[in-house]
Amino acid sequence: MLNLSQNGCSVWVASSTKLALTPTAVALGKFDGVHLGHQKVIQPVLQSVGNEEGWGDGEKLPENSPQKPTYSTVVTFHPHPHEFFTGQPRALLTPLDEKVQQLRSLGVEQLVLLPFDKELSALSPEEFVERILVQQLQCQRISVGQDFCFGQKRTGTAQDLQILAAKYKIPVTIVPIQTDTNDLPANGKSVNNTSSEDHRISTSLIRQTLQEGDIQRATRLLGRPYTLTGLVIPGQHLGKTIGFPTANLQLPKDKFLPRQGVYAVRVIILSETSDTPPTQNLGVMNIGNRPTVNGTDSSVEVHLLNWSADLYGKNLVVQLVKFLRPEQKFPSLEALKSQIQLDCTVAREILSTEC
Ligand SMILES: Cc1cc2nc3c(=O)[nH]c(=O)nc-3n(C[C@H](O)[C@H](O)[C@H](O)COP(=O)(O)O)c2cc1C
Ligand SMILES: Nc1ncnc2c1ncn2[C@@H]1O[C@H](COP(=O)(O)OP(=O)(O)OP(=O)(O)O)[C@@H](O)[C@H]1O
């Protein structure tokens, strides 16, 4: 159980339903990425908090009120069900810490992690509603997407959930599928014989988009830039010798990486104390194996434009803005240096126009 708090706001993270704060208003799903579709599903749960019995949004109950508050809660599975079924670790768009930060910024009060194991995966839809949602989480309201499936072998649909929850007088909001509107012409019909499934905002679509290096589309689907957050650790100290010192990032092991290559990025240097604000910078980033210097392992390194001080031990949040080019093996360090110079010029131009 964790209580992650920053700037006075916090998200209660419960590693089982026993540790959850109740009663709850629940959004259900995996929520990897906390993308625009997920945000729509979470919204009704936020709106419901404090709304019962005439309490307005955000208003607090009087201290002596007999009524307990309803906690806006995201209920998800941990580990990711894909990991349970395949036995393979899954790289995530938002590893746990990042997911918590995103939920916090939306105003979610609690994240409940349901251990996805044999027992949970064997629950029928009826058992899931009765045991987990009603008895353990004392759920007062539920929100899911239109294509939400649950229970053993994903046999329960969003409509089934609505029917089952009605027995306990729990209202269920079914959120219509959110699509990438940029893909669709004004009449809403799909283009180039693609199905609406190709345009549905999903974790899978964002992963594919990042793998292709289409950062602008990923930003649109997420509703914010895709970020890599990590601690600056020592590299081989070669960067300085070619005039482009780089901050090598240590990322969470389960962080999903986009296409290898060079990017224009914005970089936030997190401050160690809460009284100094984080600083924002522009930069270029390389994700790859550095074939020119016979690198063997994959690294993520950022060169900040207009920055000369030491960054070791600092935490950086790197926001991806645009993919510039694939990584290449250059015949000499001089050739690599000239190319990085060019990358910086292109990045400066892009970053001065893109917001
Ligand atoms: C903007 C940028 C572009 C890069 N492009 C390449 C590349 O195309 N090929 C390559 O082998 N290394 C590339 N690198 C990685 C450099 O080889 C690396 O920064 C240098 O070897 C320093 O490594 P170090 O930080 O471990 O000392 C790039 C680095 C940056 C910052
Ligand atoms: N585009 C969307 N529009 C509306 N609801 C969505 C959308 N995508 C997901 N949801 C809903 O949000 C909740 C969490 O979704 P979940 O993360 O399980 O699926 P997903 O984003 O489609 O990911 P994946 O691609 O891995 O299936 C579920 O209730 C799901 O139905």
Side-chain angles (χ1 to χ4, degrees), residues 17 75 114 120 123 127-139:
T17 52
V75 175
L114 297 179
L120 188 81
L123 290 182
E127 287 167 335
F128 183 83
V129 171
E130 189 186 331
R131 283 193 216 164
I132 309 282
L133 297 178
V134 177
Q135 291 172 359
Q136 296 176 15
L137 293 173
Q138 296 175 36
C139 201

Side-chain angles (χ1 to χ4, degrees), residues 28 30-31 35 38 145 147 176-178 200-204:
L28 270 173
K30 300 183 292 281
F31 296 102
H35 57 60
H38 295 153
D147 57 355
I177 292 303
Q178 307 297 305
R200 173 182 160 263
I201 300 174
S202 69
T203 304
S204 327

Side-chain angles (χ1 to χ4, degrees), residues 292 330-341:
T292 311
F330 288 95
S332 66
L333 278 181
E334 267 313 302
L336 170 65
K337 189 176 164 179
S338 304
Q339 179 58 53
I340 297 181
Q341 223 141 27

Side-chain angles (χ1 to χ4, degrees), residues 4-171:
L4 292 183
S5 164
Q6 212 178 3
N7 304 334
C9 309
S10 60
V11 177
W12 183 255
V13 183
S15 55
S16 78
T17 52
K18 284 196 194 87
L19 299 167
L21 305 170
T22 58
T24 56
V26 163
L28 270 173
K30 300 183 292 281
F31 296 102
D32 181 30
V34 197
H35 57 60
L36 283 182
H38 295 153
Q39 291 167 30
K40 280 271 185 208
V41 173
I42 291 169
Q43 200 60 35
V45 164
L46 302 175
Q47 282 162 3
S48 75
V49 175
N51 266 348
E52 304 89 341
E53 309 294 331
W55 290 103
D57 234 2
E59 274 183 67
K60 289 236 160 32
L61 293 170
E63 275 184 7
N64 58 357
S65 166
Q67 204 191 337
K68 278 177 92 181
T70 307
Y71 294 98
S72 56
T73 301
V74 163
V75 175
T76 191
F77 306 100
H78 197 76
H80 194 285
H82 183 270
E83 210 164 305
F84 172 77
F85 288 117
T86 64
Q88 299 297 317
R90 179 157 172 101
L92 301 171
L93 298 178
T94 46
L96 186 58
D97 276 4
E98 218 181 314
K99 184 186 268 184
V100 171
Q101 294 305 336
Q102 289 306 325
L103 296 179
R104 183 177 66 89
S105 70
L106 294 176
V108 171
E109 293 167 298
Q110 174 169 241
L111 173 66
V112 175
L113 306 171
L114 297 179
F116 199 86
D117 52 19
K118 220 170 158 184
E119 201 186 325
L120 188 81
S121 66
L123 290 182
S124 69
E126 291 80 0
E127 287 167 335
F128 183 83
V129 171
E130 189 186 331
R131 283 193 216 164
I132 309 282
L133 297 178
V134 177
Q135 291 172 359
Q136 296 176 15
L137 293 173
Q138 296 175 36
C139 201
Q140 309 289 306
R141 169 181 281 272
I142 303 170
S143 176
V144 292
Q146 204 178 319
D147 57 355
F148 176 71
C149 293
F150 72 111
Q152 194 182 27
K153 297 191 176 140
R154 294 168 58 84
T155 46
T157 64
Q159 281 71 27
D160 295 335
L161 180 62
Q162 214 162 35
I163 294 163
L164 290 169
K167 289 189 197 159
Y168 305 92
K169 298 197 168 38
I170 305 172

